[in-house]
């Protein structure tokens, strides 16, 4: 004897089903609708039923944020610093703020950032942590995030954010990889125009391979000519045959690349399995300030997808020296990307970039609604995906509305 639960009046995005043809329900736009049938604690399918009043989907995944920096903007403004003016100005303003990064301050700000993601219903969050000092000792922000992460209702992945030049120093990439491996850390680096970026990349790939870590790069976050970070990362991946997940963030320079060059690079990214996180909020704010007409600095995500690249959407900065606004909420970031990157309706086709595809970019197995455990799903009090992406109330855990007993 097994219990079957029913949740009446549900819409499920077709794009978040592994086998929509076997799921049942009635097609309504980019969703299937009906009463959700549960078998034990798992979703079995839809049967004909009430008109939808709630949307059920997997918990969103955050592929890229900076919880060590977040919610510091008011203090930065109070110091007389005026953020803005581009990426390098923001880096300097944030660096000056690190004088205030005491244990109490880190716990308060990181705790608030994590609480933001709990409200947004996140299932997994990858946060970068700046690696300011030269050695392999864990930074205080790393320890603070690790301590707070263990109490969260979601998974936190921590990525060490080092300058790529630093990783070129003999033995340092390996020492950092060894230090972060016990925490399931990701080896990350900021790659722009540093002179030793090639050697740094080789060291990063070798260290990640040796310690079984994923790689994550901030790369080509600028619109100046000659940025070659992504090309070097692709080349190093090809040369080494690295098997772990590689996620690159930004790729702003791709937005100025001729179509033929972009197609060739995208095909190599797809072949080597390198995913790209597009981060609209900070790019829209910091990039393209010195030119008219103003380029927006977003990588051409639709063209990259068409060439087979796994493209996902991330939040990046929230209320810090890089961006005075922002919101720790993957659905908000997708909504912003829709405006910035001309993501046409039906909107369901883009949801995998903050759910199933995002999890895959983080090296995790995708969660689709069919067969999912209830604990991995959320219910939103909306009846359509446009409603979901226009400011839905916070999601709720999934609760069967009535139970039936079947033999
Ligand atoms: Zn970032």
């Amino acid at each position: 004897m097994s219990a079957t639960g029913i949740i009446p009046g549900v819409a499920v995005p077709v794009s978040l089903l592994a086998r929509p043809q076997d799921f049942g329900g009635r097609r309504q736009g980019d969703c299937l609708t009906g009463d959700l049938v549960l078998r034990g604690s798992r979703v079995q399918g839809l049967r004909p039923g009430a008109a939808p009043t709630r949307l059920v989907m997997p918990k969103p995944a955050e592929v890229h944020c900076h919880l060590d920096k977040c919610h510091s903007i008011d203090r930065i403004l109070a110091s007389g610093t005026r953020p803005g003016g581009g990426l390098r100005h923001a880096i300097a303003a944030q660096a000056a703020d690190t004088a205030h990064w005491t244990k109490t301050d880190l716990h308060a700000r990181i705790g608030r950032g994590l609480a933001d993601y709990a409200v947004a219903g996140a299932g997994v969050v990858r946060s970068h942590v700046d690696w300011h000092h030269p050695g392999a000792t864990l930074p205080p922000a790393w320890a603070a995030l690790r301590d707070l992460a263990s109490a969260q209702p979601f998974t936190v992945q921590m990525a060490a954010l080092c300058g790529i030049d630093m990783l070129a120093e003999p033995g340092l990439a390996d020492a950092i990889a060894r230090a972060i491996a016990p925490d399931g850390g990701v080896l990350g680096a900021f790659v722009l125009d540093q002179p030793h970026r090639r050697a740094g990349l080789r060291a990063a790939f070798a260290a990640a391979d040796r310690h079984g870590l994923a790689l994550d790069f901030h790369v080509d976050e600028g619109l100046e000519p000659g940025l070659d970070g992504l090309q070097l990362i692709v080349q190093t991946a090809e040369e080494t045959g690295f098997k772990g997940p590689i996620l690159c963030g930004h790729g702003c320079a791709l937005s100025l690349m001729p179509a033929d060059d972009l197609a060739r690079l995208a095909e190599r990214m797809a072949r080597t399995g390198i995913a790209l996180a597009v981060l609209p909020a900070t790019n829209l704010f910091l990039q393209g300030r010195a030119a008219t007409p103003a380029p927006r600095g977003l990588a051409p995500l639709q063209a990259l997808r068409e060439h087979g690249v796994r493209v996902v959407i991330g939040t990046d900065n929230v209320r810090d020296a890089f961006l005075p606004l922002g919101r720790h909420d993957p659905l908000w970031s997708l909504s912003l990307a829709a405006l910035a990157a001309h993501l046409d309706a039906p909107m369901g086709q883009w949801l995998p970039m903050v759910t199933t595809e995002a999890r895959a970019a983080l090296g995790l197995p995708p969660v689709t609604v069919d067969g999912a455990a209830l604990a991995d799903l959320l219910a939103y009090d909306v009846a359509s995906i446009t409603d979901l992406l226009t400011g839905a109330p916070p999601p709720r855990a999934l609760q069967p509305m009535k139970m039936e007993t079947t033999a």
Side-chain angles (χ1 to χ4, degrees):
M1 185 179 288
S2 65
T4 300
I6 299 293
I7 302 179
V10 164
V12 176
V14 174
S15 62
L16 302 180
L17 291 164
R19 296 178 59 80
Q21 67 277 19
D22 299 332
F23 197 63
R26 192 167 71 85
R27 182 84 184 217
Q28 195 170 323
D30 44 4
C31 289
L32 290 171
T33 66
D35 291 347
L36 198 66
V37 180
L38 313 174
R39 179 74 58 184
S41 62
R42 294 197 171 263
V43 169
Q44 192 175 48
L46 285 165
R47 69 182 191 190
T53 58
R54 59 184 68 83
L55 187 143
V56 168
M57 59 176 268
K59 293 179 175 177
E62 175 59 74
V63 295
H64 183 130
C65 69
H66 294 268
L67 292 172
D68 56 341
K69 300 181 174 106
C70 73
H71 297 302
S72 59
I73 183 64
D74 291 338
R75 182 170 63 209
I76 292 169
L77 290 171
S79 75
T81 304
R82 290 288 170 267
L87 178 66
R88 290 174 205 274
H89 187 94
I91 290 171
Q94 196 73 62
D97 184 66
T98 58
H100 303 284
W101 290 18
T102 61
K103 187 175 179 186
T104 304
D105 169 65
L106 287 166
H107 274 249
R109 292 187 298 99
I110 293 172
R112 181 170 170 190
L114 290 167
D116 295 339
Y117 279 116
V119 171
V124 57
V125 173
R126 177 179 288 182
S127 176
H128 296 269
V129 176
D130 275 20
W131 207 279
H132 289 297
H133 53 288
T137 310
L138 297 172
W142 184 279
L145 179 53
R146 180 188 54 204
D147 292 349
L148 291 166
S150 59
Q152 301 307 313
F154 48 83
T155 303
V156 176
Q157 291 185 348
M158 299 192 290
L161 178 50
C162 314
I164 195 67
D165 253 10
M166 199 175 97
L167 296 185
E169 292 171 28
L172 189 53
D174 193 67
I176 292 172
R178 187 180 306 116
I180 64 175
D183 295 327
V186 175
L187 187 58
F190 179 79
V191 184
L192 194 63
D193 55 0
Q194 300 97 324
H196 303 296
R197 56 195 182 282
R198 186 80 177 90
L201 284 171
R202 279 200 213 99
F205 273 78
D209 185 47
R210 196 169 305 124
H211 296 279
L213 307 186
L215 285 166
D216 194 320
F217 298 104
H218 282 66
V219 57
D220 297 345
E221 190 179 355
L223 297 171
E224 50 269 42
L227 292 180
D228 60 0
L230 196 46
Q231 311 230 27
L232 292 177
I233 289 166
V234 170
Q235 189 183 328
T236 313
E238 289 169 345
E239 288 168 0
T240 59
F242 182 75
K243 291 286 178 282
I246 305 171
L247 177 57
C248 290
H250 295 295
C252 307
L254 297 178
S255 64
L256 302 180
M257 195 177 264
D260 287 352
D261 294 348
L262 181 70
R264 275 192 292 275
L265 184 60
E267 279 155 20
R268 292 169 68 197
M269 288 173 70
R271 257 201 313 276
T272 45
I274 295 176
L276 181 73
V278 173
L279 308 164
T282 309
N283 288 168
L284 290 171
F285 186 67
L286 288 181
Q287 300 295 320
R289 288 170 168 246
T292 307
R296 304 316 313 273
L298 275 199
L301 74 87
Q302 300 201 53
L304 289 162
R305 269 168 61 108
E306 281 159 21
H307 288 296
V309 178
R310 172 171 284 142
V311 181
V312 295
I313 304 286
T315 293
D316 211 5
N317 303 89
V318 173
R319 298 187 64 245
D320 62 16
F322 294 76
L323 180 61
L325 306 175
R327 199 178 297 176
H328 285 132
D329 181 350
L331 293 184
W332 183 84
S333 299
L334 175 58
S335 198
L336 183 62
L339 308 189
H342 302 126
L343 305 183
D344 286 328
M347 302 311 294
Q349 62 185 310
W350 311 111
L351 281 176
M353 294 197 294
V354 291
T355 52
T356 48
E357 289 290 314
R359 283 180 60 85
L362 296 177
L364 300 169
V367 173
T368 54
V369 177
D370 33 357
L374 292 193
D376 291 329
L377 302 175
L378 293 172
Y380 294 82
D381 288 331
V382 296
S384 73
I385 296 171
T386 52
D387 209 358
L388 173 75
L389 293 176
T390 320
R396 292 179 287 101
L398 229 54
Q399 298 291 343
M401 301 290 167
K402 66 180 180 188
M403 303 295 290
E404 296 171 355
T405 303
T406 57

